[in-house]
Amino acid sequence: MASPVFFIIFSIFLAQVSISSSEILLLRLTHSLSTAQFNNTHHLLKSTTSRSAARHRHHHHRQGQRRQVSLPLSPGSDYTLSFSLGSDSPQTISLYMDTGSDLVWFPCHPFECILCDGEYNPATVANPSPLNLSASAAPVTCKSRACSAAHSALSSSDLCAAARCPLESIETSDCASFSCPPFYYAYGDGSLVARLYSDSLSIPMSSPSLILNNFTFGCANTALGEPIGVAGFGRGILSLPAQLASFSPHLGNQFSYCLVSHSFDASRVRRPSPLILGRRSLDKEKGSHLPDGESEFVYTPMLDNPKHPYFYSVGLEAVSVGNRRIPAPESLRKIDRDGNGGIVVDSGTTFTVLPAELYDSVVGEFTRRMGRARKRASVVEEKTGLSPCYYLGESAGEVARVPAVVLHFGGNSSVALPRKNYLYEFLEGGDDDGKGKGKRKVGCVMVMSGGDLEEGGPAGTLGNYQQQGFEVVYDLEERRVGFARRKCASLWDTLNKRS
């Protein structure tokens, strides 16, 4: 059999720690194997590339007035975290973590998921059943700001009419006793209909326990292809960081994660990946001693997107391959008034997606520097959806010919990627057990082409595979995204010792 492949499942254990007089919440992220969903490496990569492409394409869907658009999650990069909901008989349930959307929603009893047969469902691991609303759960009113946000900012009078308020109540803006109408939320290959509620939300196993009163969430009784709820970490007012900021600004205004490099091999991950809510003063780290292989943060400004305000968009100025700097098209550098352009930093997309023009230039230069003697593995490209792929030799000289890749972001910040973040290497051919004769080493570039899409929207996506081995910080107060090379397992050990 081929080497085992797995989903990244984030099981959360929390502790409050004090660093530089600032409290943080440290979340422990761990991996779980899932050999039932994918039977070989080709199957995993093909599914992951398809979902990464779908997620990027859905960035370009033009939102209608009544349609809230988010993004699909990718196999191989599903991050889940656990919450308890309700003040009386609280129920613990796990959700996907997603920086590409701005809503927290739960599957609620009775729950029907249409076309979910055969989809990966961690219910056997984390969710014994859909959420049963507690007696303390209260419907959100149609006049609330949260209701307008869930309905793509419809006016309160429209929402009151949809909630069947009497005309005299609508005219006097007195619809406080009427519930927010159901809303529709669409992902790339799934959707749901939900209602808004508020209740007490707690994060289990924190010390002391973190409880958010009047937490607003979506409760879905019906979904299409979405069996698991989502914890949106995007920039909208319904996201987890936004609601956490209203409770404790220093916890909600900065969060970061540091993904331990895995290369789809569970044996490589021996420590948790830390997810940090709140942060020590980042500026104080400048000039401090850092271990070998680690770096200070470099920051790039967040770009506002008028059509997709919940995205963490930044500008990509260029990509260097070896010593050649390849300028990015204008569409990646800035966002226009119609919401077109920029690159989205996304925890829920596996592989980075670039516009066709830049992708062709990058892979063309990469292939040139790999050398003409390096044969393209076209059969592997067809099986995995990744391109280009090359047959690699084992000699030190051939290894050295793999060119370096650097991403140049706005704000004069450059991020040099480790080789394993952009070239995935595995054995191909021969027997299926990974040990038989006839195996050849293959390397595939982990960057994808987004094509020449004409509908507009973000021009690129920075996937989580390229973010491995970096602490990626979302600084909402300073409106910037930061990257720092880290030994993520050691960072967990360091922070955990201080708890």
Side-chain angles (χ1 to χ4, degrees):
M1 295 178 62
S3 300
V5 294
F6 61 91
F7 282 98
I8 306 173
I9 303 300
F10 282 8
S11 300
I12 306 302
F13 301 88
L14 297 100
Q16 279 195 321
V17 300
S18 178
I19 298 177
S20 300
S21 300
S22 176
E23 288 185 338
I24 68 171
L25 283 176
L26 176 64
L27 288 72
R28 175 176 177 168
L29 314 179
T30 59
H31 299 81
S32 295
L33 288 171
S34 177
T35 56
Q37 180 73 4
F38 299 109
N39 52 25
N40 57 48
T41 302
H42 293 151
H43 187 193
L44 170 67
L45 294 177
K46 185 68 172 181
S47 181
T48 303
T49 53
S50 297
R51 295 289 294 276
S52 295
R55 189 172 173 94
H56 173 75
R57 284 195 302 270
H58 211 62
H59 285 170
H60 300 76
H61 185 93
R62 293 191 180 275
Q63 295 190 52
Q65 182 68 11
R66 298 175 182 270
R67 181 182 176 92
Q68 185 73 261
V69 178
S70 187
L71 307 170
L73 296 158
S74 298
S77 60
D78 298 325
Y79 311 158
T80 71
L81 52 89
S82 298
F83 300 106
S84 288
L85 200 63
S87 57
D88 57 327
S89 302
Q91 181 179 347
T92 299
I93 193 167
S94 294
L95 307 178
Y96 289 131
M97 172 197 166
D98 186 18
T99 61
S101 62
D102 63 343
L103 173 73
V104 180
W105 71 271
F106 297 81
C108 291
H109 182 80
F111 180 69
E112 178 186 15
C113 190
I114 304 167
L115 299 180
C116 285
D117 292 343
E119 295 215 7
Y120 173 62
N121 186 345
T124 56
V125 178
N127 297 341
S129 63
L131 178 71
N132 287 299
L133 286 176
S134 69
S136 57
V140 172
T141 68
C142 60
K143 283 186 61 179
S144 71
R145 185 183 176 205
C147 186
S148 294
H151 285 269
S152 299
L154 283 181
S155 68
S156 60
S157 59
D158 288 339
L159 292 171
C160 289
R164 299 183 179 181
C165 294
L167 181 59
E168 61 270 20
S169 297
I170 298 174
E171 292 178 342
T172 59
S173 297
D174 185 20
C175 287
S177 61
F178 290 83
S179 300
C180 182
F183 61 92
Y184 173 67
Y185 212 96
Y187 292 82
D189 56 356
S191 58
L192 61 121
V193 175
R195 286 184 177 271
L196 282 184
Y197 287 87
S198 65
D199 205 345
S200 295
L201 179 138
S202 62
I203 303 181
M205 305 181 72
S206 60
S207 178
S209 179
L210 175 65
I211 299 176
L212 301 181
N213 294 317
N214 300 316
F215 184 84
T216 301
F217 61 94
C219 177
N221 297 114
T222 305
L224 176 67
E226 294 294 334
I228 305 300
V230 174
F233 270 65
R235 298 174 73 181
I237 67 169
L238 296 175
S239 73
L240 181 65
Q243 296 196 61
L244 187 61
S246 65
F247 166 81
S248 178
H250 82 272
L251 288 179
N253 286 336
Q254 292 184 19
F255 69 91
S256 67
Y257 50 72
C258 194
L259 304 181
V260 175
S261 299
H262 58 78
S263 297
F264 302 110
D265 183 354
S267 65
R268 298 191 181 192
V269 182
R270 296 181 176 86
R271 291 288 190 280
S273 296
L275 172 61
I276 306 161
L277 297 176
R279 197 65 173 89
R280 57 199 181 279
S281 176
L282 303 178
D283 292 333
K284 290 181 181 179
E285 293 186 1
K286 292 183 178 180
S288 61
H289 175 73
L290 291 170
D292 292 340
E294 299 195 356
S295 64
E296 296 177 354
F297 278 98
V298 294
Y299 298 100
T300 183
M302 292 182 188
L303 304 179
D304 290 328
N305 190 317
K307 292 294 181 66
H308 306 277
Y310 49 83
F311 287 148
Y312 295 106
S313 297
V314 299
L316 183 66
E317 300 287 333
V319 178
S320 290
V321 180
N323 59 6
R324 182 189 171 194
R325 182 182 172 111
I326 304 172
E330 187 177 10
S331 63
L332 274 174
R333 300 181 184 187
K334 62 182 183 179
I335 298 175
D336 64 24
R337 66 181 64 183
D338 296 321
N340 305 322
I343 185 168
V344 177
V345 185
D346 188 12
S347 71
T349 298
T350 309
F351 304 136
T352 291
V353 182
L354 299 175
E357 175 187 354
L358 180 59
Y359 169 83
D360 290 341
S361 297
V362 168
V363 300
E365 180 66 15
F366 198 92
T367 296
R368 187 184 74 81
R369 289 178 176 273
M370 291 287 281
R372 294 182 180 179
R374 197 64 56 84
K375 184 179 178 182
R376 287 281 290 269
S378 56
V379 174
V380 177
E381 294 174 0
E382 294 174 2
K383 290 180 179 180
T384 63
L386 291 171
S387 178
C389 296
Y390 313 91
Y391 289 111
L392 302 177
E394 301 294 338
S395 69
E398 289 180 317
V399 171
R401 283 206 281 286
V402 176
V405 174
V406 180
L407 305 179
H408 304 282
F409 294 102
N412 197 30
S413 61
S414 296
V415 177
L417 297 178
R419 170 179 163 177
K420 59 188 175 184
N421 282 30
Y422 59 87
L423 190 71
Y424 179 53
E425 301 177 28
F426 59 99
L427 295 177
E428 158 68 16
D431 300 333
D432 290 335
D433 60 4
K435 300 178 181 179
K437 297 180 179 180
K439 290 287 182 182
R440 301 182 66 182
K441 192 174 185 179
V442 174
C444 292
V445 175
M446 309 291 269
V447 178
M448 300 177 59
S449 172
D452 295 310
L453 296 173
E454 300 178 355
E455 291 185 342
T461 304
L462 180 65
N464 62 56
Y465 201 91
Q466 282 65 50
Q467 299 175 42
Q468 291 180 106
F470 290 89
E471 184 177 1
V472 182
V473 68
Y474 298 78
D475 188 343
L476 306 180
E477 194 169 29
E478 298 293 334
R479 301 168 59 82
R480 60 186 183 175
V481 178
F483 303 88
R485 192 78 176 91
R486 290 284 185 265
K487 297 176 181 177
C488 296
S490 297
L491 178 61
W492 163 262
D493 289 340
T494 299
L495 295 177
N496 191 47
K497 287 178 182 177
R498 302 182 185 183
S499 61

